[in-house]
């Protein structure tokens, strides 16, 4: 495999892709159009939301011509293989961003994530999207004494400094954490509102709406290269496996694979492999734990992981971080056609080791898959106009946390492209805006 990231064939099959939509391998026209106003590369959550908002908000006459180019099937990237959590990270996330980017930035990110979760929930309700949306109480649990103490210190610090999002977080100490979470040996627990859903079904609804509004969807069309500059009429050329196509505007909704087409992002957005499994209890299940939670644990007696409970009683479990110190398994790895070896043992042991009363439970790994996340050098997404390349936009680098970030980022990029509305006017945190400074910073730390 080369080190330049492109989607690979024969990807593992996630649970979410076991009920395929009629547009899964859709090609709106037998040939690619010659010239378009907008080409979106990528048909994951970001590409689908961009197409949805660009077509929905288009009042131009004639309407903008829009094509989506997707290398594999629709929603076959990270979105179709994630943990199904819509979980604004208003405790751990705020703490981490506060340390690296300051309190204001951390608060802006938390507010934006809450707004995204609300906007997506409202959209799902208003459009009656059948995607198993289920509001849950989610948790962040700590089992290691030192980590629990650090988390408590951070919590106190954040309370003192002031973070509006914390009003939605409840803290449980050592007396209550295990009972409330259902996690063995939990010493600290922070709970907050979240939701679980079937991401593929939600995204396919957005894509179907865009296609119905005239967007040309071309799956199985990998883009190999984009011209280094626009021609004299302002058109960029995209070379694809099915011929060339010209576009006045290109939006890179390519997440982990962005640097395959935009080499300036090579040290900025890094493909990192993750894994999830759908686990079903076949016998002697214990009492239900919190329906959604993450466990931070360095201890071999508990398992560092996160999960969301499905309406059918199964769990989507992710994390599997027992292999994290072996970077060759995941770092700059974009091969989602293979499983991560050590994760299979981890999933098999997950419930017995982690959940109170589940020691005798027989758990079956019903589905197991891998997926590629777009980690970024500063842990923040890249949204906005690609520096120095007029007409090119990016909405990518959503780390392991796109569900409460993508929708309003994509909506803001659609507005920026349409009428130059600055991203921050659309509510996107200033620290998400892509810039030459952030690209330079990533080169320096690489
Ligand atoms: C295992 C795993 C678990 C996760 N769990 C969660 C979770 O529970 N909650 C959460 O919030 N987030 C989670 N995430 C992260 C989340 O899934 C992503 O942040 C989000 O889906 C990103 O959406 P996207 O549209 O930017 O990327 P993607 O869904 O990856 O879409 C990018 C698309 O671009 C296409 N593409 C790329 N390059 C090209 C090219 N050259 N030509 C044509 N097409 C191209 C790809 O094929 C892909 O379909 C998880 C991710 C993984 C992998």
């Amino acid at each position: 495999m080369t080190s330049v990231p492109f989607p690979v064939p024969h990807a593992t099959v996630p649970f979410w892709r076991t009920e395929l939509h009629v547009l899964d391998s859709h090609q709106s026209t037998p040939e690619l159009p010659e010239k378009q106003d907008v080409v979106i590369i990528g048909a994951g959550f970001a590409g689908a939301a961009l197409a949805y908002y660009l077509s929905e908000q288009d009042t131009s006459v004639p309407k903008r011509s829009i094509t989506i180019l997707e290398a594999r099937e629709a929603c076959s990237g990270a979105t179709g293989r994630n943990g199904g959590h819509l979980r604004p990270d208003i405790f751990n996330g705020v703490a981490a961003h506060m340390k690296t980017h300051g309190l204001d930035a951390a608060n802006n990110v938390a507010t934006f994530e809450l707004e995204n979760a609300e906007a997506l929930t409202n959209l799902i309700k208003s459009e009656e999207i059948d995607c198993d949306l289920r509001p849950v109480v989610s948790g962040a649990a700590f089992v290691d004494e030192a980590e629990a103490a650090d988390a408590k210190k951070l919590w106190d610090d954040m309370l003192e400094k002031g973070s509006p999002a914390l009003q939605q977080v409840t803290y449980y100490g050592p007396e209550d954490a295990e009972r409330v979470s259902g996690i063995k040996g939990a010493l600290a627990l922070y709970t907050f509102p979240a939701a679980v859903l079937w991401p593929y079904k939600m995204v396919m609804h957005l894509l179907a709406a865009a296609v119905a509004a005239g967007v040309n969807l071309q799956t199985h069309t990998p883009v190999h290269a984009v011209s280094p500059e626009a021609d004299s009429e302002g058109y960029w050329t995209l070379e694809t496996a099915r011929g060339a196509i010209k576009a006045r505007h290109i939006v890179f909704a390519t997440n982990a694979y962005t640097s395959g087409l935009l080499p300036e992002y090579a040290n900025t957005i890094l493909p990192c492999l993750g894994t999830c499994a759908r686990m079903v209890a076949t016998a002697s299940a214990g009492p239900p734990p919190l329906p959604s939670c993450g466990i931070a644990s360095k201890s071999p007696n508990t398992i560092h992981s996160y999960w969301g409970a499905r309406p059918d009683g199964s769990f989507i479990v992710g994390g599997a971080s027992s292999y994290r110190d072996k970077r060759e398994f995941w770092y700059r790895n974009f091969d989602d056609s293979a499983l991560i070896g050590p994760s299979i043992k981890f999933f098999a042991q997950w419930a017995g080791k982690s959940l109170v009363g589940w020691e005798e439970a027989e758990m079956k790994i019903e589905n197991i898959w891998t997926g590629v996340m777009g980690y970024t050098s500063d842990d923040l997404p890249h949204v906005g106009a690609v520096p120095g390349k007029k007409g090119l936009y990016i909405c990518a680098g959503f780390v392991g946390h796109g569900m409460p970030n993508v929708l309003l980022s994509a909506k803001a990029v659609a507005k920026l492209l349409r009428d130059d509305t600055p991203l921050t006017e659309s509510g996107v945190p200033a620290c998400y805006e892509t810039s030459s400074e952030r690209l330079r910073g990533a080169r320096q730390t690489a």
Side-chain angles (χ1 to χ4, degrees), residues 4-322:
V4 182
F6 283 98
V8 305
H10 313 299
T12 52
V13 182
F15 167 69
W16 311 121
R17 291 188 46 78
T18 53
E19 289 180 23
L20 297 183
H21 191 279
V22 63
L23 295 183
D24 193 64
S25 286
H26 187 71
Q27 296 186 339
S28 301
T29 51
E31 307 290 334
L32 298 187
E34 205 179 305
K35 267 187 181 180
Q36 292 286 275
D37 294 316
V38 184
V39 164
I40 297 166
I41 311 175
F45 189 9
L50 276 153
Y52 175 82
Y53 285 121
L54 275 169
S55 54
E56 184 212 37
Q57 295 167 350
D58 194 2
T59 50
S60 52
V61 184
K63 273 183 136 193
R64 281 188 187 81
S65 52
I66 304 171
T67 287
I68 307 176
L69 302 176
E70 166 54 53
R72 305 191 298 203
E73 299 83 8
C75 199
S76 59
T79 316
R81 24 192 87 247
N82 70 24
H85 262 125
L86 173 60
R87 186 173 182 259
D89 197 351
I90 54 181
F91 177 62
N92 284 335
V94 179
H97 291 316
M98 196 170 78
K99 273 192 200 157
T100 37
H101 306 292
L103 181 66
D104 284 349
N107 283 341
N108 289 344
V109 169
T111 305
F112 185 62
E113 291 196 8
L114 288 168
E115 286 168 358
N116 265 277
E118 190 182 351
L120 184 55
T121 303
N122 289 343
L123 183 72
I124 290 170
K125 285 186 183 155
S126 66
E127 300 225 353
E128 297 179 2
I129 306 176
D130 180 11
C131 63
D132 291 354
L133 178 76
R134 177 184 175 211
V136 290
V137 172
S138 188
F142 297 83
V143 292
D144 177 80
E145 216 165 297
E147 281 188 305
D150 280 353
K152 177 67 169 51
K153 228 187 271 164
L154 262 173
W155 166 253
D156 292 339
D157 191 29
M158 283 154 63
L159 279 184
E160 196 185 306
K161 290 195 169 120
S163 170
L166 284 193
Q167 287 164 10
Q168 302 195 33
V169 182
T170 306
Y171 166 68
Y172 297 91
E175 320 71 48
D176 301 303
E178 183 178 275
R179 176 183 54 79
V180 177
S181 64
I183 295 166
K184 278 189 200 171
L187 296 171
L189 173 71
Y190 301 83
T191 62
F192 42 89
V196 289
L197 76 164
W198 190 311
Y200 173 84
K201 290 190 178 179
M202 180 274 291
V203 164
M204 293 312 294
H205 177 98
L206 298 183
L207 276 177
V211 168
V215 170
N216 187 322
L217 171 62
Q218 296 289 341
T219 61
H220 301 286
T221 309
V223 179
H224 297 320
V226 173
S227 57
E229 51 195 34
D231 65 17
S232 55
E233 291 175 349
Y235 281 92
W236 299 82
T237 303
L238 299 98
E239 302 293 344
T240 85
R242 294 172 57 221
I245 171 170
K246 284 176 180 283
R248 198 175 279 285
H249 305 282
I250 303 175
V251 192
F252 294 83
T254 38
N255 206 35
Y257 309 96
T258 300
S259 67
L261 298 172
L262 288 175
E264 57 268 51
Y265 283 84
N267 293 319
T268 308
I269 303 182
L270 312 173
C272 292
L273 199 66
T275 182
C276 282
R278 177 165 168 267
M279 310 282 304
V280 180
T282 52
S284 308
L290 268 185
S292 149
C293 200
I295 313 176
S297 170
K298 288 180 185 153
S299 148
N301 301 323
T302 327
I303 294 197
H304 185 103
S305 58
Y306 64 86
W307 71 85
R310 298 234 342 107
D312 61 9
S314 64
F315 295 93
I316 304 294
V317 186
S321 305
S322 46

